[in-house]
Amino acid sequence: MKKTYSEENYLKAIYHISKNENKVSLKAIADSLENNPASVIDMLRKLKEKQLITYDKTQGAILTASGETVALDIIRKHRLWEVFLVEKLHYDWAEVHPIAEQLEHIHDDQLAKRLDDFLGNPAFDPHGDPIPANGKMPVYANKRLSELEISQSGKVGSVRDTSTPFLKYLKQLNLGLGSKIEVLDKLDFDQSMIIAIDGSEPRTVSSKMTDNILLITE
Amino acid sequence: MKKTYSEENYLKAIYHISKNENKVSLKAIADSLENNPASVIDMLRKLKEKQLITYDKTQGAILTASGETVALDIIRKHRLWEVFLVEKLHYDWAEVHPIAEQLEHIHDDQLAKRLDDFLGNPAFDPHGDPIPANGKMPVYANKRLSELEISQSGKVGSVRDTSTPFLKYLKQLNLGLGSKIEVLDKLDFDQSMIIAIDGSEPRTVSSKMTDNILLITE
DNA sequence: CTCATGTATTAGGTTAGACTAATTTTGTAT
DNA sequence: ATACAAAATTAGTCTAACCTAATACATGAG
């Protein structure tokens, strides 16, 4: 079934929001697309009818399997085109986003594959974000905890410091590979953070600690 | 001023029609875009208001200077993308048109230039059509007279047979470089043509003659 | 518990770009 | 000159995707 430019953008937005928040609210979508909530609800109804998402006000929007397939396809094309623009056309990585926003909507059965091959099957786009393939977003421990903003979250993918004291400290925090960390607050003066580990009560951790935790955020 | 996808397609269609017919009628545009004449007239009004064309029913649609600039820009991008798709992504030349129809509408100030450089500043697209540059369509003697259909026309750009008898024959016909030839009729059984040279009275010419005249049709 | 505030929803309107179904104009053949 | 067909035009409709303004609901602070 053919998707419109606009439908594709909604699906993409829902995908991205769902990676940073546990609920994809109407308002979050409206903010992200800079559309009016009244417009958003219309589109959500339409996407629901097409079985690309489920939606109700308490659960928020959730991509169905086919909705996620579409979203990942668009994100894949976006990131491949960004690689093209930077590697082949020598754009600065900061300029390419708005162009890729247009290019990602070009429809052709073979295009993504051919572009991917031409570019040498890159794993990351110029911003370091992984490029989806085979309908899945590759999972990497790609972000230091210290890079997260307040209210963002991720799963522990690896640690950079493997010294015994550090690992003991982590154990004491009840933190291991796969633990979910949510950033509740950041203290500006020393970059320490207040975090929740697997939803438990808040803990304060130093910047030395947050620099050494690598998270899976996609 | 920003142009919509649809406006750009109308301007492109008007440009192409104007190269093959002496009047760009409403009906011709409607046929070319496979739109309803009622839709076309609305758009022509809009393009007229934006001063991209002039239009009245007797003259038909005529691109203004700025309208032609837009049309040539779109055609340039279309043809550059076709080169990219064939040369870099190894598409067959027959498959690329519908993809280029989408790519031609990507807006970015630097994109055409960068793509052009990346492709090595090609002069022709994979179909042999010239790629506009500097706001102008390059002029080449690119079509044999024998390839024209009835009612099409072109200007003589060069001749393939430069033997004295042939050139004498041309002189006798009052035909030289720059002469305008219009095809009035084609005879199926021996491919001979009835043509008007610079609007004078019809002459019948053989396929041997029409195969050796190269015309400028763009 | 209640009320203020934020979030969700409804109702109705706008614009671009298409459509169908008349109607008018134009050009052409007899 | 007439009459017919083709082309142009008008009037009114439709859909997608947006909007504003008003209303309903939910939730957390006092």
Side-chain angles (χ1 to χ4, degrees):
Chain A
M1 200 201 312
K2 229 184 69 190
K3 314 302 176 310
T4 67
Y5 189 105
S6 193
E7 285 170 3
E8 290 177 347
N9 280 336
Y10 273 86
L11 295 172
K12 184 167 57 115
I14 293 167
Y15 182 91
H16 286 312
I17 294 164
S18 73
K19 295 303 161 190
N20 288 312
E21 327 257 340
N22 47 337
K23 178 186 161 187
V24 182
S25 67
L26 187 74
K27 186 180 186 318
I29 300 168
D31 288 348
S32 147
L33 295 171
E34 298 186 283
N35 274 353
N36 191 288
S39 315
V40 174
I41 207 168
D42 282 351
M43 181 59 92
L44 292 186
R45 245 189 290 275
K46 187 178 164 194
L47 294 173
K48 198 173 169 181
E49 256 166 43
K50 293 195 174 191
Q51 316 220 39
L52 294 164
I53 63 167
T54 61
Y55 173 73
D56 68 72
K57 91 179 117 193
T58 46
Q59 306 266 17
I62 297 170
L63 294 172
T64 62
S66 57
E68 180 162 315
T69 300
V70 176
L72 285 173
D73 184 52
I74 299 297
I75 295 168
R76 172 173 163 76
K77 288 193 277 179
H78 181 103
R79 293 182 178 171
L80 285 172
W81 280 116
E82 287 199 340
V83 173
F84 171 73
L85 293 169
V86 169
E87 301 263 308
K88 303 297 182 183
L89 302 194
H90 311 300
Y91 276 95
D92 188 275
W93 68 272
E95 305 173 296
V96 296
H97 187 77
I99 312 171
E101 289 277 303
Q102 301 174 63
L103 286 164
E104 71 191 8
H105 300 291
I106 303 293
H107 285 286
D108 181 74
D109 284 348
Q110 303 172 42
L111 186 55
K113 169 105 183 56
R114 284 177 183 267
L115 187 58
D116 188 34
D117 288 345
F118 173 62
L119 297 171
N121 312 109
F124 298 94
D125 78 8
H127 307 96
D129 295 316
I131 297 175
N134 307 312
K136 283 191 203 141
M137 181 67 78
V139 168
Y140 300 97
N142 58 347
K143 250 191 182 165
R144 298 188 197 182
L145 173 52
S146 55
E147 293 177 88
L148 289 204
E149 301 302 327
I150 291 168
S151 92
Q152 291 188 317
S153 61
K155 286 203 164 123
V156 177
S158 62
V159 294
R160 298 172 73 222
D161 179 349
T162 54
S163 71
T164 313
F166 186 60
L167 296 179
K168 272 193 180 163
Y169 171 53
L170 296 185
K171 191 167 179 187
Q172 189 200 316
L173 286 170
N174 238 324
L175 187 156
L177 294 183
S179 297
K180 186 183 171 194
I181 297 182
E182 182 177 357
V183 178
L184 302 176
D185 204 358
K186 289 175 87 163
L187 304 183
D188 273 344
F189 85 99
D190 69 351
Q191 309 304 316
S192 65
M193 277 183 171
I194 301 176
I195 61 173
I197 297 165
D198 290 323
S200 67
E201 78 287 357
R203 303 291 302 248
T204 302
V205 291
S206 71
S207 69
K208 182 149 187 194
M209 185 275 195
T210 61
D211 259 354
N212 283 292
I213 299 288
L214 290 171
L215 298 174
I216 297 160
T217 58
E218 305 248 48
Chain B
M1 198 203 312
K2 227 185 71 191
K3 314 303 178 308
T4 67
Y5 190 105
S6 192
E7 284 171 6
E8 289 178 348
N9 280 337
Y10 273 87
L11 294 171
K12 184 167 60 114
I14 292 167
Y15 182 91
H16 286 312
I17 295 165
S18 73
K19 295 301 161 190
N20 288 312
E21 327 258 341
N22 46 339
K23 177 187 163 186
V24 182
S25 66
L26 186 73
K27 186 182 185 320
I29 300 169
D31 288 348
S32 148
L33 295 172
E34 299 186 282
N35 274 354
N36 191 289
S39 315
V40 174
I41 206 167
D42 282 351
M43 182 58 92
L44 293 186
R45 245 189 291 275
K46 186 178 165 194
L47 294 172
K48 198 174 172 181
E49 256 165 41
K50 294 197 173 188
Q51 316 221 41
L52 294 164
I53 64 166
T54 62
Y55 174 73
D56 69 69
K57 87 181 118 195
T58 47
Q59 306 265 21
I62 298 169
L63 294 173
T64 62
S66 57
E68 180 161 317
T69 300
V70 175
L72 285 173
D73 183 52
I74 299 297
I75 294 168
R76 170 172 164 76
K77 287 193 277 178
H78 181 104
R79 293 183 179 171
L80 284 172
W81 280 116
E82 287 199 340
V83 173
F84 171 73
L85 293 169
V86 169
E87 302 263 308
K88 303 297 182 182
L89 302 194
H90 311 301
Y91 275 94
D92 189 274
W93 68 274
E95 306 174 294
V96 297
H97 187 77
I99 313 172
E101 288 278 302
Q102 301 174 62
L103 287 164
E104 71 191 8
H105 300 290
I106 304 291
H107 285 286
D108 179 75
D109 284 350
Q110 304 172 42
L111 187 55
K113 169 104 184 53
R114 283 178 183 268
L115 187 59
D116 189 34
D117 288 344
F118 173 62
L119 297 171
N121 312 109
F124 298 95
D125 78 9
H127 307 96
D129 295 316
I131 296 175
N134 308 312
K136 282 189 204 143
M137 181 66 80
V139 167
Y140 299 97
N142 58 347
K143 249 190 184 167
R144 297 188 196 183
L145 173 52
S146 55
E147 293 177 89
L148 290 203
E149 302 302 326
I150 292 167
S151 92
Q152 292 187 316
S153 61
K155 283 201 166 130
V156 177
S158 64
V159 294
R160 297 172 73 223
D161 179 350
T162 53
S163 69
T164 312
F166 186 59
L167 296 178
K168 272 193 177 161
Y169 170 52
L170 296 185
K171 190 167 181 187
Q172 188 199 318
L173 286 171
N174 239 324
L175 185 158
L177 294 184
S179 299
K180 184 182 172 197
I181 297 183
E182 183 177 357
V183 178
L184 303 175
D185 204 0
K186 289 175 88 162
L187 304 183
D188 273 344
F189 86 99
D190 69 351
Q191 308 304 318
S192 65
M193 278 182 170
I194 302 175
I195 62 174
I197 297 165
D198 289 323
S200 68
E201 78 290 354
R203 303 291 302 248
T204 302
V205 290
S206 71
S207 69
K208 182 151 187 191
M209 186 275 194
T210 61
D211 258 354
N212 283 294
I213 298 288
L214 290 172
L215 298 175
I216 297 161
T217 57
E218 307 247 51

